[in-house]
Amino acid sequence: MHNRMLDKGADTITRICAQIQENEEVLIITETRYEAISDAIVRAVKKLHGLPTVMIMEARNRDGEEPDQIIAAAMKASDVFLCIVSHSITHTHAVKNATAAGSRGLVLTQFHEDMLIHGGITCDFVKAKETCMAVAECLENGHHIHLETAAGTNLTLEAEGRRGNALYGVVDPGMFSTIPTIEANVSPLEYTANGVIVADASIPYVGIGLLKEPVICTVEKGFITDIQGGEQAMILKEHLHNKQDPNVFNIAELGIGLNPRSSFIGWMLEDEGVYGSAHIGIGTSITLGGTVKAACHYDLIMKEATVSIDGKRILDHGSVLV
C-alpha cells in the first residue's frame, strides 16, 4: 500500500516536472537508503516508456561535493537526470556541465518517503510557473536589493548584470530545478552584500533544522563576519570554520520561497520553498550565476520577508506583490 502511495508523487516528478518522453534516457542517481523512492521513480519512468538507468552513489561527505567522474559523465550524456541523494550535489560542476550539454535535471536532496506523498509535492507546479518567473524577472539585474524581516534582518546587496533564476520544478532541456521547493533567486555581485541576517525559520543542514532561537549573522562586503545566537548558531559557526575555506562565508544567493503547499519541517527542499519566506544562500554560487566555488552551499531561512528592488517592493511581509 505504501509503495502505491509513493507512485503518485513519482508520477508528478517524472510526467509533469521532468516531462519525460518515450525513449528518453533517464539517469537516476541515488543511494541505497533511498531504494523505495528510486524504485517508485523507475516505475514511473517505465510507465512513460522512458529508459531508466540507476547509478548507486556513495553518499558524499558534504553538500556541494562533486559526484564521481563516471556519474558526472553519465549526467552529461543523459536526456534527464534525477538526483535522490542525502548531501546536495546541486551546486557542482557536474550539474552545471550536464545542463550546458542540454540535459535537464531535478534534485531531490534529503528526500524521505513522506515527501512523495504530502506537502510541497502536491503543488500545481505548472500553475506556479507564472509567479515564479515574474519574481525572478524582478530579481534579475537588480541594482539595489533590500531584504528585511520583522525578526531583524536588514540586508542590502547588488545584482546588476546577474540573471534571475526561476526554479518552479518543471524543467526543459538545459535546465535544472530542485523539488518540491519553488523559488526565485539571484546570486548577488560578490562583495556587495552588507547588513545583518536574522534566520528565524530553519537552517536545514548539519543537524540544525528548525530553529529554536534566531541565528544572527553580520555581513560585511559580501561575507559573513560574525555569527551569534544560541546552541544552533554555534553549531553553524563551528561547522563553517572547520571547512577551512573562507568562501563558505560568501553571500551566494537571495531566494524567495513560492510553494503554497510547503511548510517548515526542518528539511531543506520543503523549508526553502515555503511561500513568502526568504533565504540567503552562503558559499558556492556558480550554478546560480555567481563566480564562487566553496566547500558547501547552505541556506539561512527567514519567515515572512519583505524584499524591495530599486525602490519597488515585490514581497511584503510574506505576501507576493508581482
Side-chain angles (χ1 to χ4, degrees), residues 128-140 164-168 182-184 258 322:
K129 176 180 177 179
E130 183 177 358
T131 298
C132 190
M133 292 190 69
V135 176
E137 184 177 352
C138 291
L139 290 170
E140 182 164 327
N165 302 297
L167 304 182
Y168 46 86
I182 297 173
E183 65 174 270
L258 296 168
V322 297

Side-chain angles (χ1 to χ4, degrees), residues 54-81:
V54 179
M55 298 186 78
I56 305 297
M57 184 177 74
E58 287 292 324
R60 303 292 86 181
N61 294 316
R62 56 176 173 78
D63 294 290
E65 183 178 353
E66 296 286 337
D68 297 332
Q69 290 185 8
I70 191 170
I71 292 178
M75 292 168 65
K76 191 174 180 179
S78 69
D79 294 308
V80 182
F81 61 91

Side-chain angles (χ1 to χ4, degrees), residues 1-16 35-45 47-48 113 115-117 121:
M1 175 64 75
H2 191 62
N3 284 345
R4 290 200 294 271
M5 293 174 69
L6 299 181
D7 286 345
K8 184 175 181 180
D11 178 71
T12 296
I13 289 169
T14 55
R15 181 175 58 85
I16 296 174
E35 182 178 5
I37 295 174
S38 61
D39 284 352
I41 296 290
V42 169
R43 290 194 297 271
V45 172
K47 287 179 185 176
L48 298 170
E113 294 175 25
M115 289 174 66
L116 273 185
I117 303 171
I121 198 68

Side-chain angles (χ1 to χ4, degrees), residues 256-273:
I256 297 174
L258 296 168
N259 188 330
R261 302 304 297 270
S262 288
S263 58
F264 293 118
I265 63 172
W267 295 84
M268 176 175 59
L269 293 181
E270 285 282 351
D271 291 9
E272 65 184 14

Side-chain angles (χ1 to χ4, degrees), residues 117-156:
I117 303 171
H118 309 292
I121 198 68
T122 64
C123 175
D124 185 336
F125 291 94
V126 174
K127 184 177 180 181
K129 176 180 177 179
E130 183 177 358
T131 298
C132 190
M133 292 190 69
V135 176
E137 184 177 352
C138 291
L139 290 170
E140 182 164 327
N141 201 37
H143 177 67
H144 180 83
I145 302 176
H146 188 198
L147 167 65
E148 301 173 275
T149 68
T153 296
N154 190 350
L155 188 73
T156 61

